[in-house]
Amino acid sequence: MSFGQTNGIPQGSVLMDFIAEMVLGYADLELSKILTKSNVKDYKILRYRDDYRIFTNDPCQGEVILKYLTQVLIELGLRLNPNKTLSSNNVIQHSIKPDKLYWILNGKKSMNLQDHLLIIHDLSCKFPNSGSLTKALTSFYEKIKDRKKIKHNVQALISIIVEIALKNPRIYPISSAILSKLLSLIESTEKQTQIVNSIINKFDKIPNVGYMEIWLQRAIIKMNIKSNFTEKLCSKVNDSTISIWNSEWLSNSLLEIVEKEDIVNSQTIEDMDPVIDIGEVDLFDSKTNY
């Protein structure tokens, strides 16, 4: 019997934190050397004291990194707790300790913005593409629309919104409105571009995302961001010569009329606000019948 105790690094004092950082800092360096030597790329490892989070787009690569980490720790007389070691494709929820997530979702009466979004994310998992999800996101939009500054990590908020939108096409419009507001709070154009391209790459892995690309282009159209969208309607905004439909079967007279008329109204774009207004979202409410 161990009476709830395990071998490891004691916690609770500044001295123990210092010792932990010396030991695990060395482990970090050794692991980094092994991964570099093994040509392991496209990963991110975060460590807080003795808690590790390994992020990768390839589950097999994650297993390789875990194996090397285990080897490094064994050399130092340490080991990973198998009861706390798990893999997941739900980055948002499983990157937070279960007890902390439970408290965020159930225990707090007052919520900050990140807690609010985590609750909405939980709702999206339980009730995907629901009307309640749309209402919840609309409520969040109203909460942030007039803010000039947000003290929380804006990129973290963007990540949660993207994760929700990824599996809920119904909320593309309102999620894009929220993204337009959050992106507007990032001062660096370079950082904005990096984030937008990451979002595009994320959606590029699933089919039929042209609708989302249209909304995302609307979210950034007043920002100085260069991004490549695959949707033809998005390309048409930047290049009027691009053909959206096959019009070769039309008579020459009709074809001339079609080619002469530009479906993109540049004045409308000029008059747009950088942040998508809720009125624009309501125009494309999924309850509308066409």
Side-chain angles (χ1 to χ4, degrees):
M1 295 179 66
S2 61
F3 300 98
Q5 300 181 22
T6 58
N7 291 329
I9 298 174
Q11 295 183 0
S13 72
V14 176
L15 177 60
M16 291 302 105
D17 288 345
F18 178 68
I19 294 174
E21 282 305 313
M22 284 197 301
V23 175
L24 293 179
Y26 174 78
D28 294 343
L29 292 174
E30 290 300 300
L31 178 61
S32 180
K33 291 177 184 177
I34 294 174
L35 294 178
T36 301
K37 187 176 180 180
S38 303
N39 199 32
V40 177
K41 300 177 180 178
D42 192 25
Y43 68 91
K44 183 80 172 179
I45 300 176
L46 301 179
R47 178 179 63 80
Y48 177 70
R49 293 183 178 172
D50 62 346
D51 287 332
Y52 285 87
R53 295 289 185 272
I54 301 172
F55 300 90
T56 176
N57 290 317
D58 184 352
C60 294
Q61 186 167 271
E63 293 294 331
V64 171
I65 296 172
L66 183 63
K67 183 186 76 171
Y68 288 141
L69 174 60
T70 301
Q71 292 173 354
V72 169
L73 293 177
I74 287 175
E75 290 294 320
L76 297 172
L78 302 172
R79 64 181 178 84
L80 295 173
N81 186 337
N83 295 325
K84 295 182 179 180
T85 304
L86 54 89
S87 62
S88 172
N89 59 4
N90 191 327
V91 178
I92 300 300
Q93 288 194 346
H94 290 155
S95 61
I96 303 174
K97 288 185 175 181
D99 56 335
K100 185 175 182 180
L101 182 63
Y102 179 85
W103 179 245
I104 289 173
L105 298 180
N106 299 281
K108 289 187 176 181
K109 293 183 179 179
S110 61
M111 297 180 294
N112 60 38
L113 293 178
Q114 187 165 312
D115 294 347
H116 192 167
L117 276 186
L118 285 171
I119 292 175
I120 297 175
H121 180 272
D122 189 56
L123 175 66
S124 74
C125 293
K126 290 182 170 64
F127 306 99
N129 285 311
S130 63
S132 296
L133 179 57
T134 303
K135 290 180 180 178
L137 287 169
T138 302
S139 173
F140 182 82
Y141 173 86
E142 295 293 339
K143 192 174 183 178
I144 67 170
K145 68 175 183 178
D146 295 324
R147 297 199 183 191
K148 304 298 182 184
K149 186 180 293 187
I150 290 178
K151 64 180 180 179
H152 298 92
N153 187 328
V154 174
Q155 285 184 248
L157 301 181
I158 290 174
S159 297
I160 299 173
I161 287 293
V162 171
E163 192 69 24
I164 295 172
L166 200 64
K167 299 177 182 178
N168 296 275
R170 179 176 179 175
I171 54 93
Y172 284 172
I174 186 61
S175 62
S176 297
I178 294 171
L179 287 174
S180 70
K181 176 60 182 180
L182 295 176
L183 285 168
S184 72
L185 298 174
I186 298 175
E187 296 180 357
S188 168
T189 301
E190 182 180 354
K191 196 65 179 177
Q192 287 177 330
T193 303
Q194 180 185 347
I195 292 171
V196 169
N197 286 333
S198 295
I199 295 172
I200 294 173
N201 291 336
K202 187 90 171 176
F203 277 91
D204 192 47
K205 297 175 183 177
I206 60 177
N208 306 318
V209 291
Y211 185 45
M212 181 60 187
E213 286 196 350
I214 292 170
W215 273 103
L216 187 56
Q217 185 184 52
R218 167 60 188 96
I220 67 171
I221 200 165
K222 300 293 286 187
M223 304 176 191
N224 189 25
I225 298 177
K226 295 181 179 179
S227 296
N228 296 320
F229 296 102
T230 57
E231 170 58 42
K232 279 190 174 182
L233 283 172
C234 294
S235 301
K236 183 75 172 178
V237 173
N238 299 320
D239 185 356
S240 60
T241 63
I242 290 178
S243 296
I244 299 175
W245 304 283
N246 180 5
S247 305
E248 294 179 356
W249 56 276
L250 294 174
S251 64
N252 290 335
S253 57
L254 284 175
L255 184 59
E256 185 179 351
I257 295 173
V258 170
E259 292 180 345
K260 186 183 297 184
E261 291 297 324
D262 194 350
I263 66 171
V264 179
N265 190 319
S266 56
Q267 187 58 51
T268 299
I269 295 176
E270 184 68 26
D271 295 339
M272 282 180 174
D273 291 325
V275 177
I276 300 174
D277 184 78
I278 196 67
E280 286 186 61
V281 175
D282 290 341
L283 285 174
F284 298 91
D285 193 302
S286 60
K287 295 191 293 293
T288 303
N289 295 317
Y290 293 96

